[in-house]
């Protein structure tokens, strides 16, 4: 049994998982799972730089996570940084700050490693309940990873579309105009065209969605009165229900979104773009599966994601 800490620092949020991992038994038991919206990727798509205030918010959270790790007696820590940090020219400032806050060097991972970790985290729980091949979709703030495989990843790609990136690029009005939605759609469709040349989407048997946009949209589809991780994790929705949830969220005003009891305040501004990306991905996978002679009828949501994959990777070192 090893007590590990996994930290995932993305474009919109920084998350911590402290868990006891038993490699022999194949079990991972949560002790602490926490999420803070710090918007590290604020403005990165436009400027290519991490903003000072975004960096300060993120490092403050890292210091709080260090206190949690000390309190719980963590034996090993892995800090993984993804899209926003990959894109930033001043990422050395981030690396130095994290090292000072946590005593470990953050790993700025490439998209294929991000995809592999997401697949490991998601399918470790779902593989016993659903048939493969799985298409695992990790929809983040700056990028979206698609990974296809059954027991291990067989094909993976990282697309530079995400909830923060598309909001900053295109969705400026409240609610966004038809022209803005069309421009964002064009970006996602182009990314999916390129992705489909790498990942055979038509082989998908079980489509699995991960990360905050997807889990929030699942809560929306289920009509929850609060964010309930236990009900969201492993939820199975019909394709039409997922698409309806996305359409409804995208059409809402900021105030209407803010009133939803399961929506984290830090996602209010960007969940419309998250809905657009998820809608376009689900549609494309449904159509590719149909073209291959199959039928995609359901979508599975997982609360087990890259954090779990990072935790497993720490224990397996």
């Amino acid at each position: 049994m090893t007590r590990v800490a996994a930290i995932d620092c993305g474009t919109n949020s920084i998350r911590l998982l402290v868990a006891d991992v038993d490699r022999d038994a194949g079990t991972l038991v949560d002790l602490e799972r926490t999420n803070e919206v710090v918007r590290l990727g604020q403005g990165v798509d436009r400027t290519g730089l991490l903003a000072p205030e975004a960096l300060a918010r993120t490092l403050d959270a890292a210091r709080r996570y260090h206190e949690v790790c000390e309190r719980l007696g963590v034996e090993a820590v892995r800090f993984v940084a993804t899209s926003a940090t990959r894109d930033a020219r001043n990422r050395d400032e981030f690396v130095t700050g994290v090292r000072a806050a946590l005593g470990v060097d953050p790993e700025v991972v490439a998209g294929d490693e991000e995809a592999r970790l997401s697949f490991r985290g998601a399918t470790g729980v779902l593989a016993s309940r659903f048939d493969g091949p799985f298409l695992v979709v990790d929809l983040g703030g700056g990028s979206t990873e698609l990974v296809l495989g059954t027991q291990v990843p067989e094909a993976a790609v990282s697309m530079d579309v995400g909830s923060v990136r598309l909001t900053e690029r295109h969705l400026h009005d409240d609610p966004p105009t038809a022209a803005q939605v069309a421009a964002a759609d064009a970006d996602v469709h182009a990314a999916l065209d390129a992705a489909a040349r790498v990942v055979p989407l038509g082989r998908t048997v079980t489509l699995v969605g991960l990360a905050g946009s997807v889990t929030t949209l699942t809560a929306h589809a289920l009509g929850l009165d609060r964010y309930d991780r236990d009900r969201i994790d492993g939820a199975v929705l019909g394709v039409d229900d997922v698409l309806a949830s996305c359409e409804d969220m995208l059409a809402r005003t900021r105030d209407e979104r803010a009133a939803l009891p399961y929506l984290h305040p830090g996602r209010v501004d960007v969940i419309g773009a998250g809905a657009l990306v998820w809608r376009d991905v689900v549609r494309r996978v449904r159509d590719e599966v149909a073209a291959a002679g199959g039928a995609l009828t359901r979508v599975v949501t997982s609360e087990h994601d890259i954090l779990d994959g990072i935790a497993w990777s720490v224990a397996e070192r």
Side-chain angles (χ1 to χ4, degrees), residues 124-138:
V125 173
L126 296 177
S128 63
R129 296 178 51 199
F130 301 97
D131 294 330
F134 301 94
L135 180 68
V136 175
V137 180
D138 188 349

Side-chain angles (χ1 to χ4, degrees), residues 25-26 33 62 70 73 78 81 93 164 171 194 223 226 257 302:
R33 195 181 284 256
E70 288 285 299
R78 186 179 184 190
E93 294 177 43
V164 175
L171 305 186
R226 61 184 177 84
R257 296 193 300 270
S302 178

Side-chain angles (χ1 to χ4, degrees), residues 140-155:
S143 65
T144 297
E145 283 65 50
L146 308 178
V147 198
L148 184 77
T150 300
Q151 294 180 322
V152 297
E154 298 166 20

Side-chain angles (χ1 to χ4, degrees), residues 71-249:
R71 173 170 53 83
L72 294 177
V74 166
E75 300 166 52
V77 179
R78 186 179 184 190
F79 186 117
V80 168
T82 53
S83 176
T85 318
R86 282 198 299 267
D87 296 343
R89 295 195 303 273
N90 62 337
R91 67 184 190 181
D92 286 348
E93 294 177 43
F94 171 78
V95 171
T96 301
V98 170
R99 186 185 300 127
L102 279 160
V104 299
D105 286 342
E107 300 175 45
V108 183
V109 299
D112 57 351
E113 171 69 356
E114 184 177 357
R116 187 187 69 79
L117 291 168
S118 295
F119 185 88
R120 176 72 170 92
T123 60
V125 173
L126 296 177
S128 63
R129 296 178 51 199
F130 301 97
D131 294 330
F134 301 94
L135 180 68
V136 175
V137 180
D138 188 349
L139 199 172
S143 65
T144 297
E145 283 65 50
L146 308 178
V147 198
L148 184 77
T150 300
Q151 294 180 322
V152 297
E154 298 166 20
V157 68
S158 181
M159 308 186 299
D160 280 339
V161 293
S163 61
V164 175
R165 193 185 296 272
L166 290 187
T167 299
E168 292 185 351
R169 273 189 193 172
H170 301 299
L171 305 186
H172 303 140
D173 286 358
D174 180 27
T177 65
Q180 291 167 0
V181 170
D185 271 334
D187 281 4
V188 180
H189 293 159
L192 283 168
D193 288 344
R197 292 192 284 271
V198 178
V199 177
L201 304 177
R203 289 185 52 214
T204 303
V205 171
T206 301
L207 175 59
V208 183
L210 313 180
S213 287
V214 174
T215 58
T216 299
L217 290 160
T218 301
H220 193 50
L222 294 172
L224 301 184
D225 59 5
R226 61 184 177 84
Y227 193 94
D228 186 337
R229 188 175 189 273
D230 290 337
R231 289 191 62 187
I232 293 167
D233 186 37
V236 180
L237 298 173
V239 168
D240 290 343
D241 294 328
V242 174
L243 297 178
S245 175
C246 293
E247 294 282 5
D248 183 72
M249 188 68 79

Side-chain angles (χ1 to χ4, degrees), residues 254-272:
R254 187 189 189 286
D255 287 345
E256 289 169 341
R257 296 193 300 270
L260 296 171
Y262 39 78
L263 179 55
H264 190 290
R267 295 195 189 282
V268 171
D269 292 334
V270 299
I271 190 62

Side-chain angles (χ1 to χ4, degrees), residues 7-15 36 38-42 44 48-63 65 78-109 310:
I7 299 173
D8 166 40
C9 186
T11 302
N12 198 47
S13 60
I14 181 169
R15 301 181 302 143
E36 293 192 36
V38 293
R39 198 68 62 83
L40 178 62
Q42 170 192 328
V44 168
L49 295 169
L50 298 170
E53 61 273 26
L55 192 55
R57 289 192 299 265
T58 304
L59 295 178
D60 282 346
R63 284 185 280 272
Y65 288 176
R78 186 179 184 190
F79 186 117
V80 168
T82 53
S83 176
T85 318
R86 282 198 299 267
D87 296 343
R89 295 195 303 273
N90 62 337
R91 67 184 190 181
D92 286 348
E93 294 177 43
F94 171 78
V95 171
T96 301
V98 170
R99 186 185 300 127
L102 279 160
V104 299
D105 286 342
E107 300 175 45
V108 183
V109 299
I310 296 167

